[in-house]
Amino acid sequence: MVFNKMLSRSTRKKLRKILAFAFLVYCCVYCANSFDRSTTGKSRLLPGADNLCPMESSASRGQRNEKAQNIFFFETSGEPCLTARQACSIESTARSNPYAMISVHMENSEPTRQANVKNERTSQRRNCAITNRLFQEWENNVKLVREDLLQHLKNTPLWRLQQQGRLNQSVYPLTHRSDAVRVAMLWKYGGVYLDLDCLVFRPLYCLKNTVGLVDFLPDWVENGVMAFDAGHPFLQFLMKYMVFAFKPEEYISLGPATLTDSIKYFCDRTELPAEKMLTCRNSSMILQTPQAFYAINNRRQNAFYHPEADQSDFEDLRFSYLSHVYDAGNRPSVPDKSLYGLLAQEFCPTTYSMALANEEF
């Protein structure tokens, strides 16, 4: 009170304005530092653009938003809930693709009734709390579908594998089931298929009729990310070739090996160039560079789990839509300062924080 009397009325007025301005600046700085990527759209970790898709006109953007992109995942084990790392994959996709319709298709048969699946199951614990939170938080664009996944093979060439009982002979039934059903669903409905160990960084709406090359094998394509229009002629060819090539004892006989061979046969070529439109049998497709999906490849998978992330690994992801995190289902722990840990903290923060509380990530 004494201090106030020592100041003139005009001085007190100026002082209040200064304090009010200082408070406003403080609030702005606090808010700017508090917003995460889900608010700003800007990655704190990854260099380069936050959207690798080509610039769109307002008209084309409006048309895209009217027909939401379809992105889907499969969980074939029959377990009732996801692991934290699987939920992380879905959360990162939802955050990076807020206008997409994302569906998670989970096998509804009981795990105990599925033969020969022990060696294929993830070693990670199932977390129903995280699973429920995921579908509640993203209920507007992420839906859960529990079903008999093999029914999607009906009315496709792949149904023969089921009718003839050949899928039941599989040494890797969960993998072979997933490899077959993803192609059947793409052919029927179109969209983008993602493995549940993908961590998505950027929008995927421009991916169309495409798969990704790897850099550790020449002219080799992986099937962890596939994007195609419904009814694409290549998918029809691929399904027929999968029936021919299937070997119950070979892990990738419905996966990357068959996909790679099918592209070569369908397009009548031995070399598979990246980022070049391939026109084959009155249809077209494009092969993404290894950086698009598999920048940190299978032979470098330990880079995800080192206790301290290498800055050069973030640079490797400059031109990546996402990263396929190899061996995510079996690694016992992810250090919080590892590449995987830091990426999860940014791109699936809700899942990561819940999992960390139970030491489950």
Side-chain angles (χ1 to χ4, degrees), residues 19-134:
L19 290 174
F21 179 74
F23 180 73
L24 179 61
V25 171
Y26 168 80
C27 290
C28 290
V29 172
Y30 177 82
C31 291
N33 287 318
S34 298
F35 285 172
D36 61 15
R37 184 179 182 274
S38 65
T39 303
T40 65
K42 180 68 177 176
S43 172
R44 296 178 292 103
L45 296 174
L46 301 184
D50 289 297
N51 189 343
L52 299 179
C53 291
M55 292 290 291
E56 297 179 293
S57 66
S58 57
S60 61
R61 189 184 307 113
Q63 291 174 357
R64 171 170 61 82
N65 290 341
E66 286 177 6
K67 185 177 181 180
Q69 183 186 36
N70 175 36
I71 301 175
F72 59 94
F73 298 85
F74 291 128
E75 216 297 327
T76 56
S77 69
E79 297 284 353
C81 299
L82 301 168
T83 70
R85 296 180 194 175
Q86 290 174 334
C88 178
S89 178
I90 298 164
E91 181 184 344
S92 70
T93 304
R95 288 183 179 276
S96 301
N97 297 268
Y99 300 109
M101 294 305 299
I102 300 167
S103 55
V104 183
H105 300 259
M106 298 183 70
E107 177 61 51
N108 66 359
S109 61
E110 295 179 9
T112 53
R113 296 176 58 190
Q114 299 184 45
N116 304 325
V117 299
K118 183 177 180 180
N119 293 332
E120 288 189 279
R121 288 214 184 96
T122 175
S123 62
Q124 299 299 306
R125 288 179 57 186
R126 304 281 165 172
N127 191 313
C128 292
I130 288 177
T131 302
N132 293 335
R133 174 67 181 272
L134 173 73

Side-chain angles (χ1 to χ4, degrees), residues 34 40 89 100 103 129 140-141 163 189 241 275 320:
S34 298
T40 65
S89 178
S103 55
N140 290 332
N141 63 329
Q163 283 184 313
Y189 310 113
Y241 188 76
E275 295 188 312
S320 298

Side-chain angles (χ1 to χ4, degrees), residues 230-245:
H232 194 284
F234 169 69
L235 297 178
Q236 178 79 2
F237 179 90
L238 173 60
M239 290 188 290
K240 292 179 179 179
Y241 188 76
M242 289 168 74
V243 174
F244 167 77

